[in-house]
Amino acid sequence: AQSVTQPDARVTVSEGASLQLRCKYSSSGTPYLFWYVQYPRQGLQLLLKYYSGDPVVQGVNGFEAEFSKSNSSFHLRKASVHWSDSAVYFCVLSAWVSNYNVLYFGSGTKLTVEP
Amino acid sequence: GGIITQTPKFLIGQEGQKLTLKCQQNFNHDTMYWYRQDSGKGLRLIYYSITENDLQKGDLSEGYDASREKKSSFSLTVTSAQKNEMAVFLCASSIAGGQDTQYFGPGTRLLVL
């Protein structure tokens, strides 16, 4: 079975602080993983994706994520957050269902960056 | 670049009413998707379509119909709106399927009185 768990519904950090948003996945096959961000009143935007190779992938706006097969995790990180990073972040697993590909979303983590 | 347009932005309906949401994309993508987003939850797939006139059911298809009459458009119908229902419906598209990146529209916010 495929599933994604984001254990932290809300995270608050101070501007300039480092950030880690946690994601655990369950996949019966090779996991393809994404992080999407949703700003208020907007659609989802892709931050980064992992298919294979180097377990640390770089994304837009200074975000990166590290894939760990042993821990079934795909945590998102940023060295120094900005107030504009306040948004909801979704960890997403891509899996094959009936010969076609489907995305499984975590429940999201709402990030608030305080001045 | 391209864009996904969803209409209407806000939709208020009555219990039992049939409601239609529309999605247009100018990416020339083959595959389109409809997701439902409830407050505090991730997205759940309602329907997807891999090409014109194709329809595939997702996990949440009961209570919905979909239509893909043109490559660029994908409509979703709530067959009988449920009282006090409140959700955001997001449309997405991708070049094909597989692990291709999905691009999302801004959403239609539904409220049923």
Side-chain angles (χ1 to χ4, degrees):
Chain A
Q2 330 296 332
S3 67
V4 177
T5 301
Q6 293 178 249
D8 305 308
R10 295 174 182 270
V11 170
T12 301
V13 297
S14 299
E15 193 166 21
S18 63
L19 170 71
Q20 176 170 280
L21 301 182
R22 297 184 292 163
C23 172
K24 300 275 282 185
Y25 70 89
S26 173
S27 174
S28 53
T30 304
Y32 296 92
L33 295 155
F34 305 78
W35 275 98
Y36 278 85
V37 59
Q38 186 177 36
Y39 297 103
R41 301 283 191 267
Q42 295 186 32
L44 279 76
Q45 300 171 31
L46 180 69
L47 274 180
L48 48 80
K49 57 188 176 184
Y50 172 80
Y51 288 171
S52 64
D54 189 338
V56 178
V57 291
Q58 304 297 322
V60 298
N61 297 335
F63 285 94
E64 67 175 29
E66 183 165 6
F67 169 72
S68 171
K69 187 174 181 180
S70 59
N71 293 326
S72 297
S73 67
F74 189 55
H75 300 330
L76 181 71
R77 302 190 298 237
K78 187 170 184 179
S80 177
V81 296
H82 186 264
W83 64 267
S84 60
D85 293 325
S86 295
V88 180
Y89 292 79
F90 291 96
C91 182
V92 182
L93 170 70
S94 171
W96 291 98
V97 177
S98 300
N99 295 323
Y100 217 75
N101 185 264
V102 174
L103 296 185
Y104 292 85
F105 284 77
S107 54
T109 297
K110 183 174 183 179
L111 173 67
T112 301
V113 179
E114 293 181 332
Chain B
I3 192 169
I4 295 180
T5 304
Q6 291 187 239
T7 55
K9 289 184 180 179
F10 299 94
L11 184 56
I12 299 176
Q14 302 286 334
E15 184 181 12
Q17 197 175 1
K18 189 174 185 179
L19 303 167
T20 298
L21 292 68
K22 295 185 184 295
C23 176
Q24 296 268 346
Q25 53 97 358
N26 63 0
F27 288 101
N28 198 34
H29 285 167
D30 287 317
T31 308
M32 296 185 74
Y33 309 80
W34 275 108
Y35 293 91
R36 176 183 166 123
Q37 183 179 24
D38 292 281
S39 179
K41 297 184 180 178
L43 279 66
R44 290 179 289 171
L45 182 65
I46 304 172
Y47 268 98
Y48 64 98
S49 166
I50 61 175
T51 188
E52 189 176 320
N53 293 318
D54 174 76
L55 291 175
Q56 307 288 336
K57 291 183 179 181
D59 291 341
L60 209 62
S61 61
E62 189 171 339
Y64 301 93
D65 286 329
S67 172
R68 181 98 182 270
E69 294 175 352
K70 291 191 302 183
K71 184 176 181 178
S72 62
S73 66
F74 193 28
S75 298
L76 180 73
T77 298
V78 181
T79 56
S80 179
Q82 302 298 304
K83 189 173 176 63
N84 297 325
E85 182 175 6
M86 189 165 62
V88 178
F89 293 85
L90 290 169
C91 177
S93 71
S94 63
I95 294 174
Q99 277 70 48
D100 290 323
T101 299
Q102 293 187 20
Y103 296 86
F104 286 82
T108 292
R109 283 155 183 78
L110 171 67
L111 174 62
V112 181
L113 301 176

